[in-house]
């Protein structure tokens, strides 16, 4: 191979120089023996090591809610660490039947909820022996900041307050701190009033208080005494509402004026008192109804019951009057009903007042469900 170089000088002469250059040829190396290098082998998998006698831990129930049931109200305390995970919940995320906390004990680190028995979405369940008010404590966790996640779960805690029809009160949630209340008077000095729904044959307490329009709802009021003086029970008044509170609207007073059953006069129904078979018990029936523009068909009946001595005469304030082509008293003494269209006054049970006993009580039954009769 020949390479030509040309150089130009400023003196105007140009010389061409030719130089020989040796050519280098590439030769492929020939490995006579195989390569000894190899990729390293992956490490052997280690057998997992488990702790001996391992058992999955069963989570212990969190005792973070307690309740105190009083005669007319309930007090619920929920720990700030409601879920038992060491982190407090937001107070705004916890409600009692939709009601927010009424207070907070920073020292005990609890949220406090207080409500009347008929408030905060409570439900009233009734049996032959007890009243049960049911509340729901609900925790609904809020998202964390602007993120779509939560670090908690929705929790619903059922709270029940049980009340015997006689005189005991108790709480049915976890470990209540309230001691059951017991009437301090001896049983010989107490009067016990009862109002209940009955079956069509009047032999048993009604097991399922659901009725159709046109059915007769049968009520039995009674008083029990633990001494020798026989008593008569009087139904002074009865009010129907859609919740167990007589001070709400709508409401319908279908019996009043110290024993006048107005419903048959006002609506032309077949509602009536039945003739008595014993003084300490009175039976009456009311034709099923529901409130206008109320789709629930739910009724609560609250009656004011009063006791008087059985030897007391049937009077304008001690009577069972129904309207059927005029006012009629169940014992046949119809003239005492003449005041039903006016003011009959109020009975006092004065013959019992000297004993210091309460001679009247309000009693409520419900919920009663009234449905449309199918066509």
């Amino acid at each position: 191979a020949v390479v030509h170089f040309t150089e130009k000088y400023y003196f105007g002469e140009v010389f061409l120089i030719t130089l020989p250059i040796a050519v280098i040829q590439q030769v492929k190396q020939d490995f006579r023996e195989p390569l000894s290098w190899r990729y390293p082998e992956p490490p052997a998998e280690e057998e997992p090591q488990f702790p001996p006698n391992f058992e999955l831990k069963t989570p212990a129930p969190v005792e973070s809610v307690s309740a105190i049931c009083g005669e007319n109200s309930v007090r619920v305390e929920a720990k700030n660490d409601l879920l038992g995970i060491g982190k407090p919940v937001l107070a705004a995320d916890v409600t009692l039947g939709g009601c927010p906390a009424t207070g907070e004990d920073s020292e005990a680190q609890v949220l406090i909820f207080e409500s009347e028995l008929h408030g905060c979405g409570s439900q009233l369940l009734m049996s032959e022996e007890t009243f049960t008010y049911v509340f729901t404590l609900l925790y609904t966790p809020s998202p964390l900041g602007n993120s779509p996640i939560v670090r908690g779960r929705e929790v619903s805690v059922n709270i029940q307050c049980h009340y015997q029809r006689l005189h005991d009160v108790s709480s049915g949630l976890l470990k209540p701190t309230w001691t059951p209340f017991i009437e301090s008077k001896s049983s010989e000095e107490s009067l016990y009033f009862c109002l209940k729904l009955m079956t069509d044959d009047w032999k048993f307490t009604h097991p399922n208080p659901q009725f159709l329009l046109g059915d007769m709802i049968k009520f039995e009021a009674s008083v029990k005494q633990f001494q020798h003086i026989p008593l008569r029970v009087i139904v002074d008044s009865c009010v129907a509402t859609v919740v167990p509170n007589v001070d709400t609207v709508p409401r319908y007073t279908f019996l009043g004026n110290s024993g006048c059953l107005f419903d048959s006069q006002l609506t032309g129904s077949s509602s009536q008192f039945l003739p008595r078979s014993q003084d300490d018990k009175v039976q009456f029936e009311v034709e099923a109804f529901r409130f206008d523009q109320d789709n629930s068909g739910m009724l609560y009946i609250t009656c004011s019951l009063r006791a008087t001595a059985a030897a007391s005469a049937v009077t304008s304030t001690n009577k069972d009057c129904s309207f059927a082509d005029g006012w009629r008293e169940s014992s046949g003494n119809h003239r005492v009903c003449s005041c039903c269209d006016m003011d009959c006054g109020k009975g006092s049970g004065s013959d019992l007042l000297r004993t210091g006993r309460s001679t009247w009580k309000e009693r409520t039954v419900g919920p009663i469900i009234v449905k449309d009769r199918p066509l």
Side-chain angles (χ1 to χ4, degrees):
V2 179
V3 179
H4 300 277
F5 293 93
T6 302
E7 295 185 9
K8 183 177 181 181
Y9 297 93
Y10 292 105
F11 302 104
E13 292 181 338
V14 178
F15 298 91
L16 180 63
I17 301 174
T18 301
L19 298 175
I21 298 178
V23 177
I24 301 175
Q25 294 183 347
Q26 292 183 344
V27 178
K28 182 178 180 181
Q29 185 178 2
D30 186 11
F31 294 97
R32 302 295 181 180
E33 296 181 3
L35 295 174
S36 60
W37 184 86
R38 296 285 188 274
Y39 282 101
E41 295 291 335
E45 292 187 7
E46 295 182 1
E47 291 293 330
Q49 300 295 318
F50 296 110
N53 304 320
F54 174 78
E55 292 183 1
L56 187 63
K57 184 178 180 180
T58 302
V62 180
E63 296 183 359
S64 56
V65 180
S66 62
I68 301 173
C69 296
E71 287 190 53
N72 302 305
S73 62
V74 62
R75 175 187 172 98
V76 178
E77 295 185 357
K79 292 183 179 179
N80 289 346
D81 182 15
L82 182 66
L83 304 180
I85 59 176
K87 295 183 178 180
V89 299
L90 294 177
D93 292 345
V94 188
T95 62
L96 181 67
C99 297
T102 57
E104 184 173 358
D105 188 336
S106 57
E107 183 176 349
Q109 296 187 343
V110 295
L111 299 173
I112 300 171
F113 300 84
E114 293 179 320
S115 170
E116 294 183 352
L117 293 178
H118 300 311
C120 292
S122 69
Q123 291 183 309
L124 174 62
L125 305 178
M126 300 184 64
S127 67
E128 188 171 355
E129 298 181 353
T130 63
F131 297 95
T132 302
Y133 289 89
V134 182
F135 294 84
T136 301
L137 185 77
L138 183 63
Y139 167 61
T140 305
S142 299
L144 299 175
N146 294 324
S147 71
I149 69 168
V150 294
R151 286 195 172 96
R153 61 184 179 88
E154 186 172 289
V155 175
S156 177
V157 180
N158 186 267
I159 299 169
Q160 298 183 2
C161 290
H162 298 272
Y163 298 84
Q164 292 186 6
R165 284 183 180 271
L166 300 184
H167 54 269
D168 288 348
V169 181
S170 63
S171 171
L173 171 71
L174 300 177
K175 294 182 178 178
T177 59
W178 182 76
T179 303
F181 167 80
I182 298 177
E183 175 65 54
S184 59
K185 296 181 181 179
S186 64
S187 60
E188 289 78 13
E189 296 177 343
S190 300
L191 299 178
Y192 301 120
F193 294 87
C194 180
L195 177 68
K196 56 186 178 180
L197 294 172
M198 303 297 291
T199 54
D200 288 341
D201 57 8
W202 296 99
K203 292 183 179 180
F204 305 98
T205 301
H206 204 297
N208 186 12
Q210 295 192 24
F211 301 90
L212 299 178
L213 290 176
D215 289 346
M216 300 303 293
I217 306 176
K218 301 179 183 298
F219 298 89
E220 182 178 274
S222 61
V223 61
K224 293 182 180 179
Q225 73 281 354
F226 295 89
Q227 34 72 34
H228 65 281
I229 301 177
L231 297 177
R232 177 187 293 131
V233 62
I234 304 296
V235 184
D236 279 334
S237 63
C238 288
V239 179
T241 54
V242 294
V243 295
N245 185 346
V246 295
D247 296 324
T248 59
V249 290
R251 63 175 176 264
Y252 173 45
T253 302
F254 60 86
L255 194 158
N257 209 358
S258 299
C260 301
L261 212 170
F262 300 126
D263 183 66
S264 50
Q265 182 189 38
L266 296 174
T267 66
S269 69
S270 302
S271 302
Q272 62 175 344
F273 279 104
L274 273 64
R276 289 186 184 234
S277 59
Q278 55 192 87
D279 287 319
D280 60 357
K281 186 180 297 183
V282 61
Q283 297 171 333
F284 60 99
E285 54 187 6
V286 177
E287 191 170 328
F289 62 89
R290 58 194 300 176
F291 286 101
D292 187 26
Q293 298 181 353
D294 176 65
N295 296 324
S296 68
M298 186 177 296
L299 298 175
Y300 288 87
I301 307 297
T302 301
C303 295
S304 178
L305 310 180
R306 176 170 51 88
T308 185
S312 300
V314 176
T315 66
S316 60
T317 57
N318 300 331
K319 62 186 185 299
D320 313 322
C321 293
S322 310
F323 187 88
D325 294 328
W327 288 104
R328 299 286 185 270
E329 212 281 329
S330 61
S331 68
N333 189 2
H334 304 316
R335 62 180 180 82
V336 299
C337 300
S338 59
C339 65
C340 282
D341 292 325
M342 298 175 289
D343 183 5
C344 296
K346 294 184 179 180
S348 63
S350 58
D351 50 347
L352 300 179
L353 291 179
R354 66 181 183 275
T355 66
R357 286 168 289 184
S358 174
T359 61
W360 72 275
K361 286 288 184 182
E362 281 190 348
R363 290 292 181 258
T364 301
V365 294
I368 300 170
I369 306 299
V370 179
K371 300 180 179 180
D372 291 328
R373 187 172 294 276
L375 299 178

